[in-house]
Amino acid sequence: MTTSQWPAGEAAFVTGAASGIGLGVARALVAAGAKVALADIDGDRLSVVADELTNAGGTVIAVPFDVGDADLWEVMADRAEASIGPISILSNIAGVNGGGPIDETPLEVWRWVYRINIEAQFIAAATFLPRFKGRGGRAHILNTASIAGVVPMAPVAAYSSSKSASVGFTFVLRDELENTDIGVSLLVPGSVDTRINTTAGQAEAELLGREMDTELAEANSRLLAKGADPDRVGEQVVEAMKQQQFVIVTHREWHPLVQRVHDEIENAYTEFDGRHGVDPTAEVMLQGVNPISS
């Protein structure tokens, strides 16, 4: 299949597909001729989305489940492939925001945010990579981080640091798959008009057995509502995957803030006096050799 035709005829597995960027990507994939397995914890909303995409002429299946449940991934992957054929596109988009200042974030909330935002991406990749490698041919994995994973944001350390982990994970995934037909993309969105503050707020409140802070969720949602249209982001993502683009961003305005972070790190190296001598691991890597034995 040529780049201009891809992903027509392919089968995709999209998490967070009931709303927001996940739904935008699912719509764009269907419009491009792909079959899509729609995954989300919100079964009712997912059913509505499945009907919408089916009525639009798409071939889809709803696979409602919690992406943070490691025991369900193989089951859902099998169910999806039995319905729409071998999956060759994995789009990890599901994510949650949660917690607050570090000393006020319950450990169970911290672990929940990490389970959804990074552990689920690892489990998803570990589930589908053997299938991709075993079948051969072109495949693609998209992981969704956040600008908060590049530019640290207070007071949401759980979210920001979990998204930083997604950035690091995806860079390593790209390097591990460098000499294969499996492409990798990293989505680093800025403000996008999604329901994350509401859905995550409800889920966190349920986790802690208390009422959601509706005022806080609405205040944060008002800012996101001024962001990018998730359907347009979905179209951008599919086009970027088609072109094998690695880093995908949504807003130029973040560049100076990203540069500030990079400058701080670079300055630490340029100003250091080198008192410990040469690092042999760095020298080996500069020669293009991986020093890590596996």
Side-chain angles (χ1 to χ4, degrees):
M1 179 181 297
T2 66
T3 299
S4 62
Q5 295 173 316
W6 193 93
E10 302 295 310
F13 194 101
V14 180
T15 71
S19 63
I21 297 174
L23 175 54
V25 169
R27 284 171 172 159
L29 284 166
V30 166
K35 299 166 286 185
V36 182
L38 308 161
D40 201 285
I41 196 170
D42 189 339
D44 292 339
R45 185 177 287 270
L46 200 63
S47 179
V48 173
V49 169
D51 288 343
E52 172 206 318
L53 295 177
T54 299
N55 292 335
T59 299
V60 302
I61 177 178
V63 282
F65 79 111
D66 180 354
V67 297
D69 189 336
D71 294 334
L72 291 178
W73 268 95
E74 290 288 350
V75 173
M76 294 305 172
D78 287 343
R79 180 179 300 177
E81 294 196 327
S83 176
I84 63 174
I87 302 294
S88 61
I89 302 169
L90 170 62
S91 294
N92 286 315
I93 300 171
V96 295
N97 195 356
I102 291 170
D103 58 341
E104 298 176 15
T105 299
L107 180 58
E108 57 194 312
V109 171
W110 181 276
R111 287 174 170 168
W112 166 65
V113 171
Y114 266 73
R115 188 168 66 249
I116 303 302
N117 289 355
I118 181 60
E119 287 185 15
Q121 292 187 1
F122 162 72
I123 297 165
T127 298
F128 282 103
L129 272 175
R131 300 170 189 239
F132 292 172
K133 291 178 177 179
R135 288 192 287 258
R138 180 175 178 180
H140 205 99
I141 298 174
L142 170 84
N143 286 336
T144 303
S146 166
I147 190 60
V150 181
V151 177
M153 290 190 185
V156 285
Y159 179 76
S160 190
S161 60
S162 68
K163 291 300 187 177
S164 292
S166 176
V167 171
F169 173 67
T170 309
F171 267 84
V172 173
L173 182 65
R174 187 265 305 267
D175 288 353
E176 288 190 1
L177 297 173
E178 183 178 12
N179 296 316
T180 73
D181 291 327
I182 304 171
V184 177
S185 293
L186 173 65
L187 175 60
V188 186
S191 297
V192 181
D193 184 11
T194 72
R195 300 175 64 249
I196 187 172
N197 289 311
T198 299
T199 56
Q202 291 170 340
E204 181 178 347
E206 184 176 342
L207 179 69
L208 297 175
R210 66 189 188 195
E211 292 295 318
M212 182 180 77
D213 187 339
T214 305
E215 184 176 342
L216 178 62
E218 289 178 350
N220 290 327
S221 294
R222 282 195 293 272
L223 188 61
L224 284 187
K226 300 176 182 178
D229 182 331
D231 284 344
R232 302 292 80 77
V233 174
E235 293 166 0
Q236 178 192 2
V237 165
V238 172
E239 181 63 28
M241 290 194 294
K242 182 184 297 186
Q243 301 299 329
Q244 302 276 22
Q245 180 181 338
F246 178 53
V247 179
I248 308 167
V249 302
T250 62
H251 296 83
R252 293 177 174 177
E253 291 75 18
W254 286 101
H255 183 237
L257 294 166
V258 171
Q259 190 65 55
R260 188 182 301 171
V261 173
H262 289 175
D263 285 347
E264 183 175 6
I265 296 170
E266 289 181 12
N267 289 340
Y269 282 96
T270 58
E271 295 171 3
F272 180 61
D273 60 15
R275 72 188 67 179
H276 305 300
V278 174
D279 189 324
T281 302
E283 283 201 320
V284 169
M285 292 191 72
L286 285 168
Q287 295 169 14
V289 178
N290 186 351
I292 307 299
S293 301
S294 59

